Amino acid sequence: MTVILLLSFSLPLSAYAAKNDQGVDLSHWQGDTAVFGQASDKFAIIQLGGYYDGYFSPQSTYATQVASTIAQGKRAHTYIYAQFSSNAEADQMLAYYFPKVQTPKGSIVALDVESGNPNTASVKYALDKIQAAGYTAVLYGYKSFLISHLDLTNLAKAYPLWMAEYPNYNVTTSPNYNYFPSFNNIHLFQFTSTYKAGGLDGDVDLTGLTDNGYKGTTEASTGGTAVKTTTSTPAVKAGQQANSTPKSSITVGDTVKVNFSASKWSTGESIPSWVKGKSYKVAQVSGNNVLLAGISSWISKSNVEILLTTSTCSALSSSSSTGTYTVQSGDTLGAIAAKYGTTYQKLASLNGIGSPYLIIPGEKLKINSTAATGSVAYYTIKSGDTLSGIASKYGTTYLKLASLNSIKAPYVIYVGKTIRVK
């Protein structure tokens, strides 16, 4: 195994960083709040969106996942699924996504390059722009794909790599370095896509790179002058607000996580393992106990952590200025319509919803005819389906479906999973 730390990009790593921290990378599959495989995880790298040769697929869950990562005292970073092959496309992609970055200056903004026909010059150009914008530019991918399409040796001299390789799809909670994709300047190793049952990508930080942006990171764009920077964004503010909210102030509608250390409900019965580490909306509050949506037993406030308060969650998920609303757990189309002074029939028509009783958390709805967001549709995978077959049915390509749903291996899809098809 060869791990060489090259600093030709003039971005010294923080002295506070801890090597071999583990964490996750997240997309909309994990829902509105950040989830982790273990209580000891220290970071999350969160998908901001995808870009497929001019086609944009922003992730509606990005901002709330950033906020809830920070609320849990962990470090949040950003990645973009990036399929492009020219400087012009790189400019288009970054012009669209830079204003949407919610993690601090100095934090990682990684390009996930694993499909299409990338070339070395345009990938280097995009990484240079990310670095110049004050973030830590990182290249993600699978070694076999990257070395077959790019001059990875020279790119690795300029920028850190985040590489993925795993032998199987068994639940794996720690790296197996027998499958390490040896190369120069690898800082992050994604060692599994099944960090826990049900699927979750697991990563290890080999050098402490994920500390960047959280302990005073030097920007490469400052001409060599050390400047400690922070970014104040709505998601960071929401995470900080949730983190500083006393548990005594938990109210109905807040999003909370059940602590991994929680052992018993308020009734004295044991809390099952599948509840721990998951996030829930608060349905009722009574004294020092709360009732969580979907859970019939009360739990002590001391056994939960606030991830998003009602006010910040609402501010992050809805935007009347753009005419869109992001569906939250527990929403109904009728309630959303009433909130915006319209009818559920009009919303259903505007968004191409066949059944007004079926709306999906994370789905972005148009609330007026001037909204930029297009209609959406979903498909539940059946036995025998392939991604290319589904794509053909809906007049698109399997690559666009993979981008839209953050499917990193388009040949692996799961029966019963619902995917977005437009």
Side-chain angles (χ1 to χ4, degrees):
M1 178 179 74
T2 303
V3 182
I4 300 176
L5 178 60
L6 299 174
L7 295 177
S8 58
F9 51 93
S10 302
L11 182 58
L13 300 178
S14 169
Y16 299 93
K19 296 180 182 179
N20 298 318
D21 279 351
Q22 290 186 194
V24 299
D25 55 281
L26 305 172
S27 68
H28 76 278
W29 289 116
Q30 282 71 49
D32 290 334
T33 53
V35 300
F36 295 90
Q38 303 178 84
S40 57
D41 288 339
K42 295 295 193 296
F43 64 88
I45 309 176
I46 302 160
Q47 188 181 4
L48 174 56
Y51 178 86
Y52 262 107
D53 298 322
Y55 173 78
F56 294 99
S57 177
Q59 296 270 300
S60 62
T61 53
Y62 170 75
T64 50
Q65 287 178 349
V66 171
S68 62
T69 295
I70 291 170
Q72 294 179 69
K74 304 178 193 294
R75 305 185 290 272
H77 298 273
T78 299
Y79 79 92
I80 302 167
Y81 194 105
Q83 180 178 301
F84 63 100
S85 55
S86 69
N87 289 6
E89 286 186 334
D91 282 332
Q92 183 186 44
M93 173 181 68
L94 295 176
Y96 179 83
Y97 280 119
F98 269 155
K100 304 178 188 300
V101 174
Q102 296 283 297
T103 54
K105 283 293 180 73
S107 66
I108 292 167
V109 174
L111 293 181
D112 179 347
V113 178
E114 55 179 285
S115 64
N117 295 291
N119 64 76
T120 303
S122 60
V123 169
K124 174 67 162 54
Y125 176 80
L127 291 168
D128 286 345
K129 292 200 73 170
I130 292 171
Q131 196 75 16
Y135 299 101
T136 299
V138 172
L139 176 61
Y140 168 91
Y142 296 88
K143 181 179 176 180
S144 58
F145 181 87
L146 293 177
I147 63 176
S148 67
H149 289 80
L150 305 171
D151 182 353
L152 191 60
T153 298
N154 277 320
L155 286 172
K157 291 177 181 178
Y159 291 102
L161 303 181
W162 170 19
M163 301 285 273
E165 192 75 42
Y166 23 92
N168 53 50
Y169 296 97
N170 298 330
V171 173
T172 305
T173 58
S174 60
N176 182 344
Y177 289 106
N178 291 321
Y179 290 88
F180 186 81
S182 299
F183 210 83
N184 287 348
N185 210 20
I186 296 178
H187 289 238
L188 295 160
F189 173 30
Q190 183 187 95
F191 58 87
T192 183
S193 64
T194 44
Y195 196 35
K196 66 176 187 176
L200 179 67
D201 290 342
D203 303 88
V204 59
D205 180 353
L206 302 169
T207 64
L209 192 69
T210 60
D211 200 56
N212 283 10
Y214 291 90
K215 294 290 186 181
T217 302
T218 303
E219 293 186 45
S221 59
T222 58
T225 302
V227 178
K228 292 184 177 181
T229 61
T230 57
T231 300
S232 181
T233 67
V236 172
K237 288 180 179 177
Q240 292 170 338
Q241 177 181 332
N243 194 44
S244 62
T245 300
K247 292 185 179 183
S248 59
S249 300
I250 293 176
T251 61
V252 172
D254 287 351
T255 302
V256 299
K257 176 179 73 73
V258 176
N259 290 340
F260 283 95
S261 60
S263 60
K264 295 184 183 299
W265 300 113
S266 298
T267 57
E269 298 173 344
S270 295
I271 296 176
S273 59
W274 61 266
V275 172
K276 300 177 183 180
K278 290 188 177 180
S279 60
Y280 301 88
K281 286 283 183 69
V282 175
Q284 294 183 50
V285 178
S286 177
N288 291 321
N289 298 316
V290 295
L291 193 64
L292 307 177
I295 303 292
S296 59
S297 296
W298 292 82
I299 188 171
S300 169
K301 290 180 180 178
S302 63
N303 282 327
V304 300
E305 298 296 330
I306 303 173
L307 301 185
L308 291 170
T309 63
T310 305
S311 59
T312 57
C313 188
S314 175
L316 286 170
S317 62
S318 63
S319 173
S320 58
S321 62
T322 59
T324 63
Y325 176 82
T326 302
V327 177
Q328 304 296 299
S329 178
D331 277 343
T332 64
L333 204 60
I336 297 169
K339 180 176 181 179
Y340 289 99
T342 184
T343 67
Y344 77 85
Q345 293 95 335
K346 287 182 179 179
L347 287 185
S349 174
L350 192 60
N351 291 279
I353 299 173
S355 169
Y357 303 104
L358 179 62
I359 56 175
I360 301 172
E363 177 181 358
K364 185 170 286 187
L365 301 178
K366 289 190 291 185
I367 56 175
N368 59 53
S369 59
T370 62
T373 304
S375 62
V376 296
Y378 292 86
Y379 177 82
T380 301
I381 297 169
K382 300 178 177 61
S383 178
D385 276 341
T386 64
L387 204 60
S388 58
I390 298 168
S392 177
K393 183 183 296 186
Y394 287 91
T396 185
T397 68
Y398 80 90
L399 291 174
K400 287 186 178 180
L401 288 187
S403 173
L404 196 60
N405 294 279
S406 302
I407 299 172
K408 293 185 176 180
Y411 305 106
V412 182
I413 57 176
Y414 298 95
V415 173
K417 181 175 285 292
T418 298
I419 62 172
R420 182 173 169 180
V421 292
K422 68 175 182 176

